[in-house]
């Protein structure tokens, strides 16, 4: 009998990921703070749980895909939260990006109530989530990783086991540091070129058709050209990830100004837009616009 799954957190990532478990033939019990976000998944076979204890009763392996440390702690520790349910023997898998410290604490607290805990943040955004081609950065106990592997195969193209609790979170903060640097570099390059009368469309071709082009520069090109920054990966989440990387000790020449730029962009009200909207913050710093 395949294990029954529970999914908590139906945002940009949670919905397509839970859908892939359904496609794989798994029972998927879902819960979300905003219940209406489950509607489409229910049409596709998911079962809505009114609350977390019910979801816990009906599921063997329970995933969380939530905004940040505070949201994840709320779902685990709150009254009627995962750690206050009949948790014995359950495997909790947190796929949200949180601090290594939070991950480690949740791991210890899960063990204390007889449950198992894996952290498994992901590299890849909405499209890889839809296509089941995420890169899963798992850490915890290896036997729990083996238990989760058939499910990870539905969600990603690669699932790496990186070590004890905290290792997955650290790897995730490292890759997102690289992503933040890349996107800010792309934005600054396009704006600098524009300031010197090179059209953004031409500059983006120079980047994308040459050695500096990458999947991410090509993916973000349409939004830079159209100015449509509907969120696939909200800027507020990147600001959180860079803040967590700083708290984790990253201190290279570019890390402080990078963290500051994303923080300022957040304060300018760009948090709900896509991370590529960092260009809107940067264009306002010297008056050059990308369009
Ligand atoms: P999202 O679209 O903003 O969705 C956030 C989810 O968290 C929603 O289900 C939301 O519920 C829930 N939530 C937020 N605060 C809550 C609270 N206090 N209590 C209960 N539920 C709460 O986020 P996402 O883009 O799916 O990202 C989820 C996680 O994956 C984040 O940690 C992010 O950093 C990481 N991640 C994202 C991407 C990406 O490209 N989007 C890629 C890799 C990793 P409501 O629906 O009720 O608001």
């Amino acid at each position: 009998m395949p294990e029954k799954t529970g999914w908590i957190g139906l945002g940009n990532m949670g919905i397509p990921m839970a859908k892939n478990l359904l496609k794989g033939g798994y029972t998927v019990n879902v819960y979300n703070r905003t219940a209406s976000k489950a509607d489409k998944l229910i049409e596709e076979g998911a079962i809505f749980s009114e609350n977390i204890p019910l979801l816990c009763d009906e599921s063997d392996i329970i995933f969380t895909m939530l905004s940040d440390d505070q949201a994840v702690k709320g779902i685990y520790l709150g009254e009627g939260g995962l750690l206050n349910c009949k948790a014995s023997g359950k495997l909790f898998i947190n796929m949200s990006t949180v601090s290594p410290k939070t991950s480690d604490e949740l791991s210890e607290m899960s063990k204390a109530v007889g449950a198992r805990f894996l952290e498994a943040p992901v590299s890849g955004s909405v499209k890889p989530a839809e296509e089941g081609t995420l890169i899963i950065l798992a850490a915890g106990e290896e036997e729990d990783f083996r238990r989760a592997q058939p499910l990870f195969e539905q969600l990603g193209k690669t699932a790496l086991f990186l070590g004890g609790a905290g290792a997955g979170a650290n790897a995730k903060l490292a890759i997102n540091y690289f992503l933040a640097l890349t996107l800010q570099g792309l934005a600054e390059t396009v704006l600098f070129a524009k300031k010197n009368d090179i059209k953004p469309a031409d500059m983006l071709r120079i980047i994308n058709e040459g050695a500096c082009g990458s999947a991410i520069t090509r993916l973000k090109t349409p939004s830079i050209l159209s100015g449509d920054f509907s969120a696939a990966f909200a800027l507020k989440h990147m600001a959180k990830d860079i803040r967590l990387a700083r708290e984790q000790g990253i201190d290279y020449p570019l890390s402080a100004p990078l963290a500051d730029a994303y923080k300022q962009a957040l304060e300018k009200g760009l948090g709900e837009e896509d991370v590529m909207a960092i260009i809107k913050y940067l264009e306002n710093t010297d008056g050059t616009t990308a369009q």
Side-chain angles (χ1 to χ4, degrees):
M1 268 285 275
E3 301 207 77
K4 288 188 289 179
T5 71
W7 196 283
I8 303 175
L10 299 173
N12 288 332
M13 295 294 282
I15 288 178
M17 292 169 80
K19 205 179 273 187
N20 281 336
L21 294 184
L22 285 169
K23 280 186 205 153
Y26 286 93
T27 297
V28 186
N29 299 291
V30 294
Y31 171 84
N32 195 53
R33 179 178 63 177
T34 308
S36 58
K37 289 199 191 164
D39 290 351
K40 284 210 175 104
L41 282 175
I42 294 166
E43 279 170 24
E44 295 184 34
I47 302 159
F48 188 74
S49 299
E50 289 294 330
N51 55 47
I52 294 169
L54 279 175
L55 178 136
C56 201
D57 282 349
E58 294 300 322
S59 315
D60 306 306
I61 299 187
I62 298 162
F63 294 86
T64 41
M65 192 53 164
L66 301 151
S67 300
D68 53 19
D69 292 56
Q70 194 196 354
V72 173
K73 282 182 176 170
I75 292 291
Y76 273 78
L77 309 177
E79 201 182 323
L82 283 173
L83 295 178
N84 295 310
C85 300
K86 291 177 204 143
S88 183
K90 311 282 177 183
L91 173 58
F92 299 142
I93 305 181
N94 178 43
M95 303 194 84
S96 335
T97 308
V98 297
S99 68
K101 183 168 173 280
T102 293
S103 219
D104 193 36
E105 286 170 2
L106 292 177
S107 173
E108 289 306 314
M109 286 188 271
S110 298
K111 280 182 202 156
V113 295
R116 318 287 305 186
F117 178 87
L118 263 187
E119 61 178 20
V122 298
S123 178
S125 190
V126 171
K127 198 158 179 282
E130 287 168 352
E131 292 169 350
T133 56
L134 292 165
I135 299 172
I136 296 167
L137 312 174
E141 301 284 343
E142 202 158 358
E143 64 182 281
D144 297 326
F145 176 69
R146 281 196 294 273
R147 182 174 166 191
Q149 252 173 335
L151 294 154
F152 288 158
E153 280 166 20
Q154 296 298 320
L155 301 172
K157 63 178 177 187
T158 305
L160 294 168
F161 181 73
L162 295 166
N170 275 313
K172 173 62 189 168
L173 297 183
I175 189 65
N176 270 22
Y177 179 65
F178 184 55
L179 177 61
L181 285 171
T182 305
L183 296 181
Q184 184 152 337
L186 179 64
E188 290 182 6
T189 301
V190 169
L191 291 173
F192 167 65
K194 172 93 190 299
K195 205 171 175 179
N196 290 295
D197 299 325
I198 309 297
K199 290 186 195 121
D202 288 335
M203 193 62 228
L204 285 160
R205 277 193 73 186
I206 295 166
I207 294 167
N208 289 332
E209 292 181 26
C212 292
S214 67
I216 194 68
T217 63
R218 288 186 278 275
L219 186 71
K220 296 301 180 189
T221 287
S223 60
I224 296 174
L225 292 178
S226 67
D228 176 3
F229 297 104
S230 309
F233 177 40
L235 189 143
K236 66 179 177 186
H237 294 321
M238 182 60 97
K240 165 206 43 144
D241 296 348
I242 302 306
R243 176 179 52 78
L244 292 177
R246 294 279 291 159
E247 286 169 14
Q248 203 54 21
I250 198 160
D251 192 17
Y252 297 111
L254 294 179
S255 58
L258 186 75
D260 192 50
Y262 281 91
K263 185 167 169 275
Q264 301 266 351
L266 202 57
E267 285 165 9
K268 295 270 182 226
L270 297 171
E272 299 300 329
E273 298 196 42
D274 189 68
V275 61
M276 196 63 240
I278 191 67
I279 198 168
K280 284 171 73 172
Y281 162 70
L282 294 167
E283 66 191 11
N284 286 328
T285 59
D286 76 350
T288 312
T289 56
Q291 276 79 52

